[in-house]
């Protein structure tokens, strides 16, 4: 009788990553409350009992998925903040990197945005700390731009940071369904909208000012 080929063991880190990806897929498609650990095991083609070696509960699986997404955002944002370029360049890069996971990690993004509210309080606070640190990075880039004169004086950097993040998060709801809207176009349009909103106002040409105020005579007529 021929021998059955021995099953090659999967490295623990690799298996853990596969389980998080499977959990993200199941939660994104079914929602947290409608999903089970059996669903996750079936995606992987393993027994449910084997799954418990890595994630003891469905709540633990949800926290692992959310934490994976949050840490990825933090790592990329911190690298951009420390890197070269002016504030406008960094802000555009932050928007681009915020949207980039929609290309191949959309399940993680959607679970983080829609399902993390189902986490227990302690888990939600842990995830929330990552989200707040990310918000501070975006806000600090805006503050640096305002301090250096790239952005307009009096800019509400906190509100601008929240608006930028909210705009990018909203794209997860419609990305892939909007015709002719690849990520490059979306990130470019978002960067233009935001930078035009925070940049210093350009002075109007003198001729335009005179037309706006017809009572004011040209300089040469005042002599």
């Amino acid at each position: 009788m021929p021998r059955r080929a021995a099953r090659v063991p999967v490295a623990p880190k690799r298996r853990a990553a596969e389980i998080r990806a499977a959990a993200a897929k199941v939660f994104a498609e079914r929602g947290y409350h409608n999903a089970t650990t059996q669903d996750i095991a079936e995606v992987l083609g393993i027994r449910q009992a084997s799954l418990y070696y890595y994630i003891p509960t469905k709540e633990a699986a949800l926290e692992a998925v959310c934490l994976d997404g949050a840490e990825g955002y933090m790592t990329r944002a911190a690298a951009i903040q420390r890197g070269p370029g002016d504030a406008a360049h960094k802000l555009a890069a932050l928007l681009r990197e915020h949207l980039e996971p929609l290309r191949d990690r959309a399940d993680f993004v959607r679970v983080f945005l829609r399902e993390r509210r189902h986490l227990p309080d302690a888990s939600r606070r842990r995830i929330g700390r990552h989200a707040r640190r990310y918000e501070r990075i975006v806000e600090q880039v805006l503050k640096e731009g305002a301090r250096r004169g790239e952005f307009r004086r009096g800019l509400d950097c906190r509100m601008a940071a929240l608006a930028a993040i909210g705009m990018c998060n909203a794209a997860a709801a419609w990305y892939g369904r909007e015709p002719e809207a690849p990520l490059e176009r979306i990130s470019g349009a978002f960067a233009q909208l935001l930078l035009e909103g925070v940049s210093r106002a350009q002075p109007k040409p003198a001729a335009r000012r005179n037309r706006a105020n017809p009572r004011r005579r040209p300089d040469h007529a005042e002599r």
Side-chain angles (χ1 to χ4, degrees), residues 17-31:
E18 291 173 347
I19 289 173
R20 290 194 300 273
K25 176 180 172 64
V26 170
F27 292 147
E29 291 178 352
R30 303 189 182 189

Side-chain angles (χ1 to χ4, degrees), residues 139-202:
E139 185 176 354
Q140 287 163 5
V141 169
L142 286 159
K143 285 180 176 179
E144 183 66 12
R147 186 183 68 80
R148 293 184 175 183
E150 292 180 61
F151 303 151
R152 58 185 169 83
R153 185 179 300 175
L155 175 66
D156 190 331
C157 295
R158 175 61 178 168
M159 291 297 102
L162 293 177
I165 295 169
M167 183 167 60
C168 291
N169 286 345
W174 50 263
Y175 173 68
R177 298 199 300 268
E178 182 67 17
E180 300 180 4
L183 285 177
E184 292 77 11
R185 178 186 173 193
I186 298 169
S187 62
F190 282 10
Q192 182 179 2
L193 284 169
L194 187 61
L195 289 172
E196 287 179 355
V198 303
S199 295
R200 292 185 300 172
Q202 297 298 317

Side-chain angles (χ1 to χ4, degrees), residues 25-45:
K25 176 180 172 64
V26 170
F27 292 147
E29 291 178 352
R30 303 189 182 189
Y32 175 72
H33 284 307
N34 293 325
T36 66
T37 52
Q38 179 62 41
D39 296 329
I40 299 171
E42 287 177 359
V43 170
L44 293 163

